[in-house]
Structure formats: structure tokens, C-alpha cells
């Protein structure tokens, strides 16, 4: 044991000895018991799922499935990069980071936690991969191979993200890896990889073993390199990541997910150089709402990502998604797009000081602020539904008629109203009771918080939701009903809106 | 135009069961500058929140422009209230926040350029407010409050974060505001600002 290791350990032991929440043997027993119970409960359904993976997969769905896995891995890498991924707790970042303690030893605990997270994510990826490619023979060995490949990909990716924190050149490699995954997703969903995937799905076991071994070797090399680079990560980078993690932890501990949005926005704009542009001459409510338009115009990357995601329901359809899942994907996607363009209402809902200075009435402000989310969600749902129709999966949405896209503009006002209600909701009320049910305890506060906004969107989109989740050829009545609810629900919401100036 | 802008009678406010204001009376006429002074916890900010309609009274009556204050659009078009730092809109610069204020209030008291100049923000006009110093953000808040037209200005410790030079300039700006017929009521710990106003204490027994 080195002197530096002793130092870090002795410091941590000292901190633990002063902590009021030292874990006792009983605490550790309870944790181990809970984990064992969780695994026991999970064991039966998991073995059922694994048994269902035996047999060849549908070649027509392989491309879309691989695309979804590639996008999931890209999302995992993007999340790792956004988080840091190497960070410390706020006290450690304040007191231990800028001390003479050995940096690598200090960050070792974080490194081990990152490996654990990557292993879990990799196992899920591996299972997904097996579900897509199927297991024509020797399920156990193919499962093992898929798990090794998935874990190697996620652990290697996490190592790449750690290396990217230490050096700009590795950051380029990480970006290149993410771009390659996205290209793979596009190529896979276009059907160009059908032959390659068919070969991969029926590959003999020695070939699977060779691929898994190669991936594990590359991953191990990256992990070794990342471990060596831990003491080269600049302190300011670690402090920034740790501060961000501290804010996120506070928001999570207080069950205040709205806080995440504030943190992400503030971090984004703090790092940008802006140039002022003249404010357009508009009536007061629209002048107020123009803030969201300008913010959106200053984030073209986000807009592009938003509209690139219109292909997701079509990819899901190709991967064999049920009509209910496709309908839900379209409406949830539209709601998410609407909610992403309501930052002004969110700010004024959380802190109305600026809204009071601006002095626009709540109803005109809300009505003006609904315009952009309605436009974006309308365009998004229209394109997503058109994509489903073009994908022509043979059943469900897109079958029997080419007019499904008409639901897009009709659901847009209701989605905008739902998004506005969502971003203006109060923080979680932890004083509400926890309801004991046969299926377990339900904390009413978080449930009501999560349902606020979604409820209005669902009511406003009910005819479309029924038509999309249980498609039938008779769409006329649903379209007419949607036209009525799509206008009545947001109008009622704006009319009944209570609260402060500025909406 | 009401001659009597603020009329408070026998106002009592309790926070968490503790009386913060007890039997307070206050009248403020148009064109007056009133400084609410007193130690921390004496109820200065609570009084301002009552006048802004944000804090319900346990008993007594509060009237602003002859009516109980209401947290709605018509009230805030006549009253500018500046307490804690506002939450700035994401993606806008300091100048654009002032442009927004001027766009919403066409009868602005000064142009955006003049406001940037008066509040010494011209050099940082393209910065996002989060990248400004504490004092600069307070100047931006004051610029927003004084750029827009209003009849009553409620300020809670407007000197917060400001250097001595700018505090003196702020007193001149408030004088100019009242010269135009506006009314100022501020809670302050700054002797210079308080000296140029009628001083009142929110709690009995506190020297004004």
C-alpha cells in the first residue's frame, strides 16, 4: 500500500468518523437483504424474457432494432460526457481536490462507480442486441457473447468519455464514435445492412467468441488508459462537473426535476458568446413570447436534433412496435417538443419577479406563449405521422389511409396547452399522503406532479390517442372530434388560468 | 391620478405565528420618496410584499391607488416591484432584456441606449445576465425597473451589491422619478438613500 493511498484512506476514514450517518452492520445487512430480494423477485420474469429470446429473429426488423441500440449507446455516451463523467461530491471537490492528496486515488471511487454504471448499461444493451439478432442455437453462449459485447461497448465508451475529460484529442475520438454510431443507426434503418445483420445473427459460436474477446480486449485497453489519465484531468474541469453534479443531486434529493432544466439552461448560456439583436415591434404579449423564439433560433443544434427525432416512431414501427406504442411515441414526442420551447413560462412560473416587471396579463401571455410550442409540436407530430405512413409497416398507423398526418396540426394546440401546464406546475408537494395499495405505497405528491400537464394533453388529444393506439380505417369522426377538443381544451385552459402576471 | 397612493391602516402580519408587523399605519402621497428603515427582521420586506399584494395581512387594511393590491397584469402595469434578483430569461443578453422591457412598455421612460449608459452597462450589453457581476446584475434589474413607466416604485434594498458611487447616482435617479410624478417606497440600509427620503420604521419602537 502506497503512502498516497494511506493518505486518501485516512482522510476518508476521518470524514466518515465525523459523519452523523455512519452505516452500521444492520444497515449493511438491510442493503444486502434488499438487493437479494430484488434479484429474487426479478429472477423469474427475467428468466422468462431470456427464454423468449431463443430462436431466430425477424430479419425485417433487425435494421430498426440495431438502429435503436446504436442510438441508445449514443445517448449513453452523450449523457456520460454531459455529466463529466468524472466528478466528486461537493465537499470532496471543495476540500480534497485542491490538496496534495494523490489525484488518481482520490478519483478511484468515482472510477469504480462509473465502471459499475457502464456494466449495468452494457448488460441492458447486450440483452437488447440479443433480442434484435436472436439466438438460433446455444442460447446461453450467445447470451454470454451478447453481454460481453454490450458491456465492452459501454465500458469502453465510458473510458473514452473519461479520456475526453483529460484531453481534447480523446474528446475528438469520443465525438467521432458518437457520430459513427449515428451513421450506423441511419444505415441500419435504411436497410443497407440487411445482409451483414443476417450474417451476424447466424454467426457460428467461435466467431461470436472471437468478436466478444476482441471487444473486451479493446475495452480493457481503453479502461487502462483512462485509469492512467485520471490524474491528468484538470482540476477546473473536475470542479465544474462536481458543481453541476451537486446541483443535479440537490434537484433529485428535493424531487424537483424542474431544477434540472434550469441547471442545463444556465450552464449552456453561461458558456456562450451572444450578440444582441433588436427586439421586434410586436403587441406586448407577443413581444414577451418572442423570447422563446429567439432562444430557439440561438440553439439550431437542438432544433435539428428535435426534428431528426421525427424518424423515431417510424424506426420503432420497423422494429415491431405495437400500434399503442407507436401512438404513444408520436404524442409523447410532440409533448416533449412543445415543452422544450416554453422556457419563458417555466422561468416565470418558478420566479415571477421579471414577469411582474413586464406586467403582461396572464391570459394574453399564455395565449401568446402557446403559439411556438403549438407550431413546433404540430410540425413534429405531422412529420412523425407522415413518416409512419411512408414506412408502411402494413398494419396500424399508416395502413388503410394516407391522412394520418392530419392529426398533427389538430393535436398541436392541446399539446402546447399541456406543455404550458407542465412547465408552470408547482414543485412536488411532499406533504401529500402516501397511499398504501396492494401493489405498494404510492406517494401522492410526486404522482400528481408527474400527471400535471400530461393530463391536459391527454384530454385534449383523446380522440387522436384512441385513433392512433387502436387504428381503424374510419378516421373522419376521430378527426372531427380532435378538431373540437384540440381547440376547446387549450381555450379552456387559457381562460381558466390563474396566477401571476406573465403567464 | 390618486393623490394618496398608499394607505395602510392598522396592518398586522404574522409569519409562522410570529407577528412581524403590528398595527402599522402609513400614508404615502404621489411624488413622495419613503424609506423604510430598521434592523434585519423588523418587517421591511414584509411591508413591501403586503403593498405588492404578495403577502396577506392577518388584520388591517392595505390600499394602493385606493384599492387592495392585486397580483395581476393591470396592477403591475402601474407598479414596478424590485426585490430579489429576477430569474433572467435564458438565451437573452442584458441589452435584450431591456429591449424586451421597452417593447412591452411602449411609453418607456428612457431608451434602451440611455438605460445602458445611465446604469453603466454599455460595455457588458451583449453579456448574458448570468455572466455579469452581482453589482452589474443589480444595475440591470434597476435599469429594467426604471426604464419602464410606472406610478409606484417598490424597491427592496436597491443598494444591494452597488458601489458607493452608483448608490449616490441611484438617489439622483429616484429623485428624477419622483419629479416626474412617480412615488417611491423602498426598504433600505443605506444612510445616503434614506437621508433623501421620508423615513419610517415598520415596527413600533424602532427609530426611523
Amino acid at each position: 500500500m502506497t503512502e498516497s493511498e494511506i493518505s486518501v484512506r485516512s482522510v476518508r476514514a476521518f470524514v466518515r468518523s465525523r459523519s452523523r450517518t455512519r452505516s452500521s452492520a444492520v444497515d449493511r445487512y438491510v442493503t444486502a437483504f434488499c438487493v437479494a430480494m430484488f434479484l429474487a423477485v426479478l429472477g423469474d420474469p427475467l428468466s422468462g424474457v431470456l427464454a423468449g429470446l431463443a430462436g431466430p429473429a425477424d430479419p425485417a426488423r433487425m435494421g430498426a432494432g440495431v438502429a435503436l441500440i446504436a442510438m441508445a449507446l449514443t445517448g449513453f455516451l452523450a449523457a456520460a460526457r454531459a455529466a463529466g463523467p468524472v466528478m466528486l461530491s461537493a465537499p470532496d471537490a471543495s476540500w480534497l481536490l485542491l490538496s496534495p492528496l494523490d489525484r488518481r486515488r482520490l478519483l478511484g471511487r468515482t472510477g469504480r462507480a462509473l465502471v459499475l454504471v457502464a456494466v449495468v448499461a452494457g448488460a441492458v444493451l447486450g440483452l437488447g442486441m440479443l433480442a434484435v439478432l436472436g439466438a438460433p442455437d446455444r442460447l446461453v453462449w450467445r447470451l454470454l457473447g451478447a453481454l460481453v459485447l454490450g458491456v465492452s461497448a459501454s465500458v469502453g465508451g465510458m473510458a473514452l468519455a473519461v479520456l475526453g475529460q483529460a484531453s481534447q484529442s480523446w474528446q475528438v475520438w469520443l465525438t467521432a464514435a458518437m457520430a459513427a454510431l449515428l451513421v450506423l443507426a441511419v444505415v441500419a434503418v435504411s436497410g443497407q445492412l440487411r445482409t451483414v445483420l443476417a450474417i451476424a445473427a447466424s454467426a457460428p459460436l467461435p466467431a461470436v467468441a472471437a468478436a466478444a474477446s476482441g471487444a473486451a480486449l479493446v475495452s480493457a485497453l481503453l479502461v487502462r488508459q483512462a485509469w492512467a489519465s485520471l490524474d491528468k484531468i484538470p482540476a477546473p474541469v473536475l470542479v465544474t462537473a462536481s458543481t453541476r453534479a451537486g446541483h443535479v443531486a440537490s434537484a433529485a434529493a428535493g424531487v424537483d426535476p424542474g431544477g434540472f432544466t434550469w441547471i442545463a439552461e444556465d450552464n449552456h448560456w453561461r458558456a456562450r458568446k451572444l450578440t444582441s439583436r433588436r427586439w421586434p415591434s410586436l403587441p406586448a404579449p407577443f413581444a414577451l413570447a418572442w423570447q422563446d423564439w429567439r432562444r430557439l433560433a440561438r440553439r439550431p443544434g437542438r432544433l435539428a436534433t428535435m426534428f431528426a427525432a421525427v424518424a423515431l416512431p417510424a424506426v420503432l414501427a420497423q422494429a415491431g412496435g405495437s400500434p399503442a406504442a407507436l401512438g404513444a411515441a408520436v404524442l409523447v414526442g410532440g409533448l416533449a417538443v412543445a415543452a422544450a420551447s416554453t422556457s419563458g413560462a417555466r422561468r416565470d412560473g418558478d420566479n415571477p419577479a421579471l414577469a411582474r416587471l413586464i406586467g403582461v396579463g396572464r391570459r394574453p401571455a399564455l395565449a401568446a406563449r402557446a403559439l411556438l410550442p403549438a407550431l413546433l409540436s404540430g410540425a413534429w407530430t405531422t412529420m412523425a405521422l407522415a413518416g409512419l405512413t411512408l414506412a408502411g409497416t402494413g398494419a396500424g398507423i399508416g395502413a388503410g389511409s394516407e391522412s394520418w398526418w392530419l392529426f398533427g396540426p389538430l393535436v398541436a394546440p392541446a399539446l402546447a396547452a399541456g406543455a404550458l401546464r407542465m412547465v408552470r406546475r408547482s414543485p412536488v408537494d411532499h406533504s401529500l399522503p402516501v397511499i398504501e395499495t396492494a401493489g405498494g405505497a404510492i406517494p401522492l405528491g410526486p404522482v400528481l406532479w408527474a400527471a400535471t400537464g400530461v393530463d391536459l394533453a391527454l384530454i385534449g388529444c383523446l380522440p387522436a390517442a384512441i385513433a392512433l393506439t387502436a387504428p381503424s380505417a374510419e378516421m373522419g369522426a376521430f378527426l372531427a372530434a380532435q378538431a373540437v377538443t384540440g381547440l376547446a381544451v387549450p381555450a379552456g385552459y387559457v381562460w381558466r388560468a390563474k396566477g401571476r402576471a406573465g403567464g | 391620478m390618486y393623490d394618496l397612493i398608499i394607505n395602510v391602516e392598522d396592518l398586522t402580519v404574522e409569519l409562522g405565528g410570529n407577528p412581524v408587523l403590528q398595527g402599522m399605519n402609513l400614508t404615502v402621497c404621489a411624488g413622495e420618496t419613503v424609506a423604510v428603515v430598521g434592523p434585519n427582521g423588523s418587517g421591511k420586506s414584509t411591508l413591501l410584499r403586503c403593498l405588492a399584494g404578495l403577502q396577506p395581512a392577518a388584520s388591517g387594511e392595505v390600499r394602493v391607488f385606493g384599492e387592495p393590491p392585486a397580483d395581476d397584469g393591470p396592477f403591475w402595469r402601474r407598479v414596478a416591484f424590485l426585490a430579489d434578483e429576477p430569474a433572467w430569461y435564458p438565451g437573452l443578453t442584458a441589452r435584450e432584456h431591456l429591449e424586451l422591457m421597452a417593447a412591452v412598455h411602449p411609453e418607456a421612460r428612457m431608451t434602451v441606449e440611455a438605460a445602458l449608459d445611465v446604469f453603466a452597462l454599455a460595455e457588458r450589453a451583449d453579456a448574458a445576465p448570468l455572466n455579469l457581476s452581482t453589482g452589474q446584475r443589480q444595475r440591470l434589474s434597476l435599469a429594467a425597473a426604471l426604464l419602464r413607466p410606472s406610478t409606484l416604485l417598490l424597491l427592496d434594498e436597491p443598494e444591494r451589491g452597488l458601489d458607493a458611487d452608483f448608490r449616490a447616482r441611484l438617489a439622483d435617479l429616484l429623485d428624477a422619478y419622483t419629479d416626474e410624478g412617480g412615488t417611491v417606497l423602498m426598504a433600505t440600509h443605506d444612510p445616503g438613500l434614506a437621508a433623501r427620503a421620508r423615513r419610517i420604521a415598520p415596527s413600533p419602537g424602532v427609530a426611523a
Side-chain angles (χ1 to χ4, degrees), chain A residues 276-277 298 348 357-358 500, chain B residues 89 91 93 96 105 126 148:
Chain A
S276 302
R277 290 170 59 196
R298 285 182 169 160
D348 288 344
L357 269 182
I358 288 169
R500 302 157 291 238
Chain B
Y89 290 133
T93 65
E96 285 169 337
H105 299 281
D126 280 348
R148 54 155 287 185

Side-chain angles (χ1 to χ4, degrees), chain A residues 219-236:
Chain A
S219 176
L221 287 173
L222 282 169
V223 168
R224 196 181 72 162
Q225 192 78 16
W227 177 258
S229 77
L230 278 182
D231 55 358
K232 296 190 186 77
I233 301 175

Side-chain angles (χ1 to χ4, degrees), chain A residues 147-423:
Chain A
L147 288 177
V148 171
L149 277 169
V151 169
S152 300
S154 61
V155 170
M158 183 65 89
L160 210 52
V162 171
L163 286 163
Q165 237 178 329
S167 116
Q168 195 57 40
S169 56
W170 281 105
Q171 191 70 253
V172 174
W173 279 108
L174 177 63
T175 308
M178 288 163 67
L181 282 168
L182 285 177
V183 170
L184 173 69
V186 172
V187 174
V189 85
S190 70
Q192 302 293 316
L193 292 180
R194 194 162 287 180
T195 316
V196 177
L197 293 177
I199 293 169
S202 57
L205 272 181
V208 173
S213 306
L217 182 68
V218 172
S219 176
L221 287 173
L222 282 169
V223 168
R224 196 181 72 162
Q225 192 78 16
W227 177 258
S229 77
L230 278 182
D231 55 358
K232 296 190 186 77
I233 301 175
V237 173
L238 288 171
V239 169
T240 306
S242 304
T243 307
R244 194 164 52 225
H247 289 154
V248 171
S250 305
V255 197
D256 176 20
F260 293 115
T261 317
W262 277 64
I263 296 160
E265 280 283 348
D266 288 349
N267 281 336
H268 176 84
W269 295 111
R270 210 176 257 131
R272 294 292 180 284
K273 187 172 167 53
L274 301 172
T275 304
S276 302
R277 290 170 59 196
R278 186 158 291 282
W279 211 259
S281 180
L282 294 166
F286 292 101
L288 170 65
W290 186 251
Q291 173 266 327
D292 275 321
W293 294 74
R294 183 154 290 181
R295 167 181 163 274
L296 186 73
R298 285 182 169 160
R299 298 197 74 169
R302 168 180 279 211
L303 193 63
T305 309
M306 216 183 262
F307 278 95
V310 294
L312 277 178
V315 174
L316 198 62
Q318 282 193 6
S322 65
L326 300 183
V330 171
L331 293 178
V332 169
L335 184 62
V337 166
S341 53
T342 52
S343 67
R346 186 191 300 277
R347 285 280 150 131
D348 288 344
D350 291 343
N351 182 343
L354 197 54
R356 289 181 183 131
L357 269 182
I358 288 169
V360 175
R362 57 185 180 266
R363 284 177 191 148
L366 259 185
R369 279 176 160 162
L371 196 60
L372 179 62
L375 199 69
L376 288 177
S377 62
W380 197 93
T381 44
T382 303
M383 289 163 76
L385 287 169
L388 278 172
T389 308
L390 287 175
T393 49
I397 304 167
S401 170
E402 290 182 354
S403 308
W404 287 96
W405 65 270
L406 283 173
F407 278 112
L410 297 179
V411 297
L415 290 175
L420 284 169
R421 178 167 152 80
M422 191 188 284
V423 299

Side-chain angles (χ1 to χ4, degrees), chain A residues 35-51 127:
Chain A
V35 170
M37 282 298 291
F38 179 72
L39 291 177
V41 170
L42 200 67
D44 190 41
L46 192 62
S47 59
V49 169
L50 291 178
L127 279 178

